[in-house]
Amino acid sequence: RMTEPLVFFDVDTQRDFMLPTGSLYVQGAEAIVPNLNKLMDYAQANGIPVLSSADAHAPDDPSFAQWPPHCVVGTPGHLRIAETLFPSAIIIANRPSRFNSPREWVGQFIIEKQEYDATTNVNFDAIVESLGRRRFVVFGVATEYCVRSTALGLRKRGMTVDVVADAIKEIKPEDGRQAIEEMLAAGVRLVKTTDICAPTGQ
């Protein structure tokens, strides 16, 4: 049993990526929704804090040269799917001094970003410092973009990182496999939803 307390890291489970109607839909993403649901329920039941990264783009975001416009703030596609949204989530914008350390780390904290890597939010290091030593349990989409770069960003900071293999989805299978190799090489552990949500006290 790992001794470090857990923090869940839910990467970009927004409607534009997760739903077939989304503008940058990750093919087959709905297949992981039951596991996302289990993980979020488990976090809520056990008081595990959830950091949820969110693409938060302006209508003229430069990344739209490479990708179709997606997750534009104020559009339905920017919102999380129901399964990964707690009722009273706290939003931490990617602007200096938008973060006040909570009295206790419980509930959901949505970390807005404009890059693949959630650790690029200017408040990220303050968040991690406030959390203290924890094991990061990472899941969401897409494996070879935001999941990969966030997991690697956390490893660069010396964090213990588990990636939930049956709660992530890639855009292209080959790129997904390569991303997993890269994460493993960086010291990430691959786990399953049942490893994380195993009944305790046995």
Side-chain angles (χ1 to χ4, degrees):
R1 264 277 192 254
M2 296 281 150
T3 51
E4 288 170 318
L6 300 181
V7 57
F8 283 7
F9 207 115
D10 150 45
V11 179
D12 293 12
T13 55
Q14 294 161 275
R15 293 178 184 178
D16 269 346
F17 301 125
M18 296 296 300
L19 301 182
T21 50
S23 66
L24 197 47
Y25 167 56
V26 176
Q27 190 82 37
E30 65 277 18
I32 67 168
V33 170
N35 283 343
L36 296 175
N37 205 0
K38 278 182 196 140
L39 288 158
M40 296 299 278
D41 284 353
Y42 185 80
Q44 220 167 3
N46 293 279
I48 296 164
V50 179
L51 304 180
S52 293
S53 64
D55 267 8
H57 294 310
D60 59 353
D61 190 286
S63 75
F64 297 164
Q66 184 187 354
W67 301 104
H70 60 278
C71 301
V72 173
V73 175
T75 64
H78 168 251
L79 302 173
R80 304 194 98 67
I81 56 170
E83 290 83 357
T84 60
L85 185 63
F86 289 174
S88 51
I90 291 165
I91 294 173
I92 303 169
N94 190 6
R95 292 197 293 279
S97 73
R98 284 298 157 134
F99 171 68
N100 294 312
S101 187
R103 272 195 305 280
E104 58 168 344
W105 278 101
V106 68
Q108 183 177 33
F109 301 82
I110 296 176
I111 300 173
E112 294 190 333
K113 65 189 177 69
Q114 285 72 47
E115 311 288 331
Y116 296 147
D117 178 356
T119 70
T120 57
N121 180 302
V122 293
N123 302 291
F124 195 82
D125 288 318
I127 293 167
V128 165
E129 199 174 320
S130 168
L131 274 164
R133 281 308 301 183
R134 290 189 187 247
R135 176 158 60 110
F136 283 78
V137 176
V138 178
F139 48 88
V141 291
T143 307
E144 70 268 47
Y145 290 100
C146 300
V147 171
R148 169 192 168 275
S149 54
T150 297
L152 295 177
L154 288 166
R155 287 296 300 139
K156 274 198 196 90
R157 288 166 167 73
M159 302 296 156
T160 308
V161 181
D162 291 350
V163 168
V164 187
D166 56 4
I168 56 175
K169 189 74 186 89
E170 73 290 335
I171 295 172
K172 295 188 180 140
E174 188 44 46
D175 295 349
R177 279 193 291 275
Q178 202 177 330
I180 285 173
E181 292 299 316
E182 218 177 319
M183 290 190 279
L184 289 170
V188 167
R189 293 191 329 159
L190 278 190
V191 298
K192 289 198 164 79
T193 302
T194 49
D195 298 330
I196 300 297
C197 305
T200 47
Q202 298 186 359

